[in-house]
Amino acid sequence: YVQHYANDRKSQENIVLKFLEDLFRDKTVLFIGYGLAELEILEYLIVKTRTKDKSLQPRHFLLQGFYSHERELMVSMRTYYRECGIELVPFLKDRGGWEQLINVLESWSKAVPASAPLVSQQLKEMESLLDG
């Protein structure tokens, strides 16, 4: 992590940080399978790149499993992540543990099939490539 996320280079920009800043600023991100250690770093980047307008809906989401006895933890984490501009999307692990994540993703894939990017999104990406 230190090598990838360090921003102490005097002569050149950290390309990993630049990529992540652009990603979080321009795209909607769904985090799946991240642990707290990784999220601490990603939260920093999201907070750094998010808009100051708190009235906007979150553009980033975290799919996280909880057991039913962890309800208070889930509520607290939802509040915390919302302050970071991330919407927590919880699911119950009571029946299948972490294997339940596969069922959630399969259900989502049927409900929201993949589609081609919007024309406006493609144009925006082309403009950003041309601008360098």
Side-chain angles (χ1 to χ4, degrees):
Y1 287 126
V2 173
Q3 290 175 346
H4 278 0
Y5 297 108
N7 200 18
D8 58 359
R9 299 176 185 168
K10 305 286 186 220
S11 62
Q12 64 184 22
E13 180 178 54
N14 183 325
I15 59 172
V16 173
L17 283 178
K18 177 69 174 140
F19 167 77
L20 291 173
E21 287 176 13
D22 292 345
L23 176 75
F24 294 139
R25 184 185 59 242
D26 299 334
K27 304 288 184 187
T28 298
V29 177
L30 172 64
F31 297 100
I32 301 173
Y34 278 85
L36 185 57
E38 293 94 349
L39 283 173
E40 288 173 350
I41 295 166
L42 295 174
E43 286 167 358
Y44 165 77
L45 291 169
I46 290 170
V47 168
K48 185 175 175 181
T49 59
R50 76 173 178 201
T51 179
K52 301 290 185 213
D53 186 354
K54 300 241 182 197
S55 66
L56 296 176
Q57 293 292 328
R59 291 188 32 219
H60 307 300
F61 301 87
L62 168 63
L63 182 58
Q64 179 74 40
F66 295 91
Y67 291 104
S68 56
H69 69 273
E70 297 176 310
R71 180 167 172 29
E72 290 301 317
L73 173 63
M74 183 273 298
V75 170
S76 296
M77 288 183 70
R78 176 176 272 166
T79 301
Y80 172 72
Y81 287 125
R82 190 171 287 143
E83 291 174 8
C84 295
I86 302 170
E87 184 67 32
L88 178 65
V89 181
F91 67 90
L92 277 176
K93 298 189 305 181
D94 288 351
R95 291 189 187 170
W98 282 109
E99 303 256 338
Q100 186 62 26
L101 175 59
I102 295 168
N103 296 333
V104 170
L105 294 174
E106 285 176 348
S107 174
W108 282 12
S109 70
K110 292 174 186 165
V112 185
S115 63
L118 299 173
V119 173
S120 61
Q121 180 183 347
Q122 290 175 330
L123 289 174
K124 185 176 179 180
E125 289 173 1
M126 285 190 278
E127 287 175 359
S128 70
L129 289 172
L130 292 172
D131 291 339

